[in-house]
Each structure stands twice: as C-alpha cells, then as structure tokens.
C-alpha cells in the first residue's frame, strides 16, 4: 500500500475515533442527584385490644432523598431511589406521647424522559422495593412497596438539571398485622396495626441532577 494511502487511512481512523469520542461524551451515562420533599399520608390504627381503637395518621412534613441513574439510552435510565422522612404519629389522633416515626424507601426502577424540547422535559418514573418504618422505642417494620412519579426536568447547563416532581408510594401490609412491637416492663405489646392492606403516602419534591 502506498504511503499516501496509509497516511489518508490513518487520518480517517483518527477522525472517526475523535468523532465517536465526542459523540459518546455528549450522551449521559450516569446521573446523581438529591431532592427535598413535602410528604403527606400514611394511616394506621391503634391496637385493636385497646378500648379506644381509632385511626392514627403520620404527621405531614418534610423529607429528603437521593437518586442514582444508569442510562439505557438518552431518553431512559435505570434508577436507584432512596427517600427518607422523619415524622411522628399525629398527636391529635394518638394523644400525648406520640412517638417519632422514621419512614425510608429503598427502591429500584426506571425513568422515561418525554418530549424532545431541550429547555423543558417531562418524565415518568416507576420503582419498587422496600419500605422501612421505625418507631422510637419500638420495633421496626419492612414491607414491599412501589412508587409512581412524574414531573418536569429543567436544564440549567448541559449537565446540571433541576427536577420538580410529585410521587406516590404504596406499601403493602397484611390486614390486621401488628406493627411496632416491643417488650416494655416485661410485657409484650404493639403500638399499632394496619387499618387495611396498604399504606399510601404522597410527596411533592424539588431537587437537582448532575449528568456524567
């Protein structure tokens, strides 16, 4: 092969590799982010053995979370979602001495980005995993849960995004299951029991995402 042909081939290969490298760099591979949320919902009932059986809800309040994504393509990614709320049982429902409750969600799933407007994109997210409820001074509970979220993604730069969203969490609990049990002064007892087959919470959130 002539030296001129070899030189031209080398230039072509170098140009192709440079183009491929630039194209790959322009497409996100991973993302990480954090968000703050305002969460409501979550209803249980007091122990059926007590004379004053009644529904008890969780206090509405703030929470936060983290998200990590692995892109399948430019419009969809697999996601790990962690969300946490430090709250308490509603004192108006429970009465004095309502214990603090920590609610955590550990979910895996996926997010689909909709539309092609680079200035504003909507998204839908579906995840599933575990919900962990812990009451101070009592035991903890871990149950299967799912979530569905939607919202808007606003690019600030090519790699930095602001997310605004809403999400609902549905946790499956066997009806009449005793929750948050402990031994107190040698007596075994449970704080609450499920009022149905599920517990639902909803949140509105705002956060950021960084693309890599």
């Amino acid at each position: 092969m002539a030296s001129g042909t070899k030189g031209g081939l080398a230039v072509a290969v170098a140009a192709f590799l440079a183009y491929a490298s630039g194209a790959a760099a322009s497409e996100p591979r991973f993302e990480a982010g954090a968000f703050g949320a305002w969460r409501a919902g979550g209803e249980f009932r007091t122990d059926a053995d007590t004379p004053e059986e009644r529904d008890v809800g969780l206090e509405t309040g703030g929470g936060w979370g983290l998200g990590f994504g692995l892109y399948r393509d430019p419009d969809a990614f697999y996601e790990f979602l962690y969300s946490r709320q430090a709250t308490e049982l509603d004192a108006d429902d429970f009465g004095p001495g309502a214990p603090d409750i920590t609610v955590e969600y550990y979910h895996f799933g996926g997010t689909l980005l909709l539309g092609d407007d680079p200035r504003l994109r909507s998204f839908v997210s579906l995840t599933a995993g575990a919900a962990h409820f812990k009451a101070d001074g009592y035991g903890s509970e871990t149950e299967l849960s799912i979530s569905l979220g939607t919202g808007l993604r606003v690019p600030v730069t090519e790699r930095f995004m602001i997310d605004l969203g809403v999400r609902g969490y549905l946790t499956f609990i066997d009806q009449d299951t005793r929750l948050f049990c402990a031994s107190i002064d040698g007596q075994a007892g449970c704080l609450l029991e499920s009022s149905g087959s599920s517990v639902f919470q909803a949140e509105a959130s705002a956060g950021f995402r960084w693309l890599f």
Side-chain angles (χ1 to χ4, degrees):
M1 183 181 293
S3 60
T5 304
K6 290 182 180 179
L9 181 59
V11 170
V13 170
F16 174 78
L17 292 176
Y19 171 81
S21 176
S26 67
E27 295 182 0
R29 298 292 302 277
F30 306 97
E31 71 170 52
F35 62 89
W38 190 256
R39 189 181 296 172
E43 188 172 278
F44 304 90
R45 70 176 178 215
T46 55
D47 194 333
D49 294 336
T50 65
E52 298 180 357
E53 178 185 342
R54 60 195 181 279
D55 289 338
V56 178
L58 298 175
E59 288 276 10
T60 298
W64 60 273
L66 302 171
F68 301 93
L70 171 64
Y71 275 79
R72 187 192 68 180
D73 56 58
D75 298 319
F77 57 88
Y78 306 105
E79 182 174 22
F80 169 73
L81 173 68
Y82 171 78
S83 183
R84 186 180 192 276
Q85 178 192 25
T87 183
E88 62 184 13
L89 293 176
D90 191 328
D92 292 336
D93 297 335
F94 188 84
D100 292 337
I101 305 288
T102 301
V103 183
E104 297 176 295
Y105 295 99
Y106 300 85
H107 280 198
F108 291 92
T111 294
L112 179 64
L113 301 174
L114 306 174
D116 54 9
D117 188 340
R119 298 166 299 177
L120 184 69
R121 299 192 72 178
S122 59
F123 64 84
V124 61
S125 171
L126 178 64
T127 66
H132 183 73
F133 299 84
K134 186 179 187 308
D136 284 0
Y138 295 84
S140 62
E141 308 292 335
T142 302
E143 305 290 346
L144 174 67
S145 67
I146 61 174
S147 83
L148 178 64
T150 187
L152 296 174
R153 172 164 288 194
V154 185
V156 178
T157 69
E158 183 179 358
R159 297 295 182 182
F160 184 75
M161 315 286 173
I162 292 176
D163 277 3
L164 305 173
V166 293
R167 184 177 294 271
Y169 299 90
L170 185 65
T171 301
F172 301 98
I173 300 177
D174 291 338
Q175 192 167 6
D176 299 327
T177 297
R178 303 298 177 91
L179 304 170
F180 310 124
C181 298
S183 177
I184 302 175
D185 296 329
Q187 298 292 323
C190 297
L191 184 64
L192 301 173
E193 69 176 39
S194 61
S195 60
S197 58
S198 63
V199 174
F200 178 76
Q201 288 192 292
E203 70 180 20
S205 64
F208 66 88
R209 295 283 179 135
W210 192 273
L211 308 183
F212 300 91

